[in-house]
Amino acid sequence: MLIDCHCDALYKMWSNGASFRNDPYLAVNYERWMQSNVKVQCFAIFVPSEVPQQEKFRVALEMAQLFYEEILKPHSNIRQIVTKTDILDLKENERGAMLTLEGLDCIGEDITKLKKLVSIGVRMVGLSWNYRNKVVDGILEPENRGLSRFGHSVVSYLNEQSIWVDLSHISLKGFDDVINQAIYPIASHSNVYPITPHTRNLRKYQIDQIIKKNGLIGVTYVTDFLTLKDYATLEDLIEHIRYLIEYGAENHIVLGSDFDGTDYLIREVPTIDKVSLVVNELERNFNKEIVDKICFENFLRTFPS
Ligand SMILES: [Zn+2]
């Protein structure tokens, strides 16, 4: 079994009208997914910054609708994942799809909009993308603001509802505020800053905090987060994972590909049907117990309930 914590296929389906069934433009489409060993795939709603504020929530709902109408409805072997039991109950031929949200710009300062998204199955919420919103700053905001008062109430609500709070893309100050408050922290697609000093990667003290809070780190296949070279290989991914294991994070590593979030991914793994190469490489480097933890056990153990 393999669980992947982040992809942006919904964004590409929304922005380009790409068909989920078999459009080759999608790294995650139905046909490629079925050829892979990915049992559960998370699908992020991501509303781009250029959408006018008053239209953002409508766009978020449009993406949720694509999730239902293009991913779930036509494919009887794809089940929506809302609880841990939903994953455990998947039959041999079935796959799971979980709805997530990347950035809370779309709710403005209106928590009822977040409640609506949770009610339709969003189970992981990234508080900001790279920039500022009413909740918190993103990592590219030079002022580096932490959680607003509204942001604190958002995290309380997510705790109450047993929802993962996603720390990828958040400002450094925001990270500190959230890690103190969130019960279910995850950085769904971020790598190790001491290996590749990209601003989206996790600093050592952040890795410490995630371990301390029993959170998760989704190692990602994005070139810039893996290496300073102009291309990334499976060995680069293993280097980040090995660092985390040696640092004591073996119970906190999961996978967060970022398929369809960028065109620049591990050279050998541009699309979901190639993910078995990641598993092979993990098996060549680590024992079965560790590989299983990374591929699915850590995710299942920490699934909020
Ligand atoms: Zn992202």
Side-chain angles (χ1 to χ4, degrees), residues 6 8 102 129 169 189 200 258:
H6 189 80
D8 282 306
E102 183 168 32
W129 191 61
H169 291 284
H189 53 303
R200 279 265 291 97
D258 210 5

Side-chain angles (χ1 to χ4, degrees), residues 10-175:
L10 285 175
Y11 168 67
K12 275 195 184 171
M13 289 158 65
W14 176 82
S15 58
N16 290 70
S19 152
F20 183 68
R21 183 79 195 178
N22 56 9
D23 194 318
Y25 174 63
L26 294 176
V28 179
N29 65 33
Y30 178 76
E31 288 185 0
R32 283 182 168 146
W33 185 10
M34 294 309 121
Q35 285 162 32
S36 80
N37 50 358
V38 175
K39 189 74 173 169
V40 176
Q41 178 66 56
C42 293
F43 289 89
I45 294 171
F46 168 70
V47 181
S49 336
E50 55 271 23
V51 173
Q53 184 58 42
Q54 68 275 17
E55 289 172 31
K56 282 189 162 120
F57 186 63
R58 180 180 55 76
V59 169
L61 293 178
E62 284 172 7
M63 288 189 205
Q65 193 158 346
L66 287 172
F67 177 79
Y68 282 98
E69 289 184 359
E70 288 226 26
I71 298 178
L72 294 181
K73 214 165 134 195
H75 306 112
S76 57
N77 63 331
I78 301 183
R79 303 253 168 230
Q80 184 175 13
I81 300 301
V82 178
T83 65
K84 178 173 165 172
T85 314
D86 294 336
I87 300 181
L88 301 176
D89 286 350
L90 288 172
K91 300 193 180 72
E92 187 76 29
N93 67 324
E94 289 177 336
R95 313 289 177 110
M98 190 169 104
L99 202 49
T100 70
L101 177 62
E102 183 168 32
L104 276 174
D105 310 41
C106 63
I107 68 164
E109 241 175 329
D110 183 354
I111 202 141
T112 59
K113 290 182 173 155
L114 178 58
K115 290 180 178 175
K116 167 78 183 162
L117 291 169
V118 167
S119 76
I120 58 175
V122 167
R123 280 299 174 272
M124 186 186 292
V125 172
L127 301 189
S128 62
W129 191 61
N130 287 334
Y131 303 109
R132 170 168 302 163
N133 60 33
K134 296 289 185 193
V135 173
V136 70
D137 277 5
I139 188 68
L140 295 186
E141 286 290 349
E143 276 185 57
N144 183 30
R145 287 194 203 159
L147 278 177
S148 64
R149 186 186 295 259
F150 175 63
H152 280 289
S153 63
V154 163
V155 176
S156 293
Y157 168 72
L158 295 172
N159 285 344
E160 263 166 45
Q161 296 295 312
S162 301
I163 309 274
W164 264 304
V165 179
D166 193 346
L167 297 157
S168 287
H169 291 284
I170 202 170
S171 67
L172 295 177
K173 176 70 170 71
F175 180 100

